[in-house]
Amino acid sequence: MSFENLSSTWVDQPLTDPSVAADAVDLMVSLGDRRRGTFTVLICDLDNRYLATVALELPATFSLDPSPAQICETALHPIIPAVHTAPGTALVFALGRPGPAHQTDLDTQWAQAATTICRAAGIRLLGFYVATKDGIHQPALTEPAAA
């Protein structure tokens, strides 16, 4: 998956298609974002099409302490009220991080926390992706992401 696969009209396509969403994440999460550690939110309209991106730099210890759930909740704290001002808004999340392509426990904790937070807030989550220098992947979830 690569942003180079995106068509010139990708913003007209819904990010419910995992391959389009992964390519959009690849475009929006730079290699520098991945080295530093960022939590990126792709904001989508009622039809699940891309509108905007918000990238939040994570603390250097984002994979250790506090827990991924606590950091995710802190990162989403200002985003949730903003999303509620436009009912029907959907989100795609991307954890940009250094390290190997797959850190199953860490990635799954982040994805599960984001899913739980969105569900509790009544926000539609279209997907959770992890961006590393090696590419984009989706961690396995124990429950579906869509709220």
Side-chain angles (χ1 to χ4, degrees):
M1 296 174 203
S2 168
F3 69 87
E4 294 172 347
N5 297 330
L6 288 171
S7 72
S8 60
T9 60
W10 74 270
V11 294
D12 297 325
Q13 299 173 21
L15 294 187
T16 51
D17 179 335
S19 63
V20 174
D23 290 343
V25 165
D26 189 47
L27 177 65
M28 297 301 167
V29 184
S30 72
L31 288 176
D33 292 339
R34 298 171 201 201
R35 273 193 308 273
R36 283 188 312 276
T38 58
F39 187 61
T40 301
V41 180
L42 281 68
I43 302 168
C44 300
D45 66 13
L46 282 165
D47 297 318
N48 306 319
R49 294 180 306 230
Y50 173 80
L51 289 174
T53 299
V54 176
L56 307 160
E57 192 162 334
L58 296 172
T61 59
F62 78 92
S63 63
L64 304 172
D65 188 47
S67 74
Q70 291 169 311
I71 296 172
C72 186
E73 186 173 350
T74 300
L76 289 175
H77 183 72
I79 304 291
I80 290 171
V83 169
H84 282 155
T85 66
T89 297
L91 304 176
V92 173
F93 292 141
L95 174 64
R97 63 161 178 75
H102 296 281
Q103 279 185 337
T104 306
D105 292 340
L106 175 68
D107 297 345
T108 301
Q109 287 177 45
W110 270 90
Q112 199 61 55
T115 300
T116 300
I117 291 166
C118 283
R119 184 169 286 116
I123 295 171
R124 293 183 308 122
L125 177 60
L126 302 180
F128 187 96
Y129 297 82
V130 176
T132 69
K133 65 178 175 47
D134 299 317
I136 310 298
H137 78 275
Q138 275 189 291
L141 289 173
T142 56
E143 53 188 273

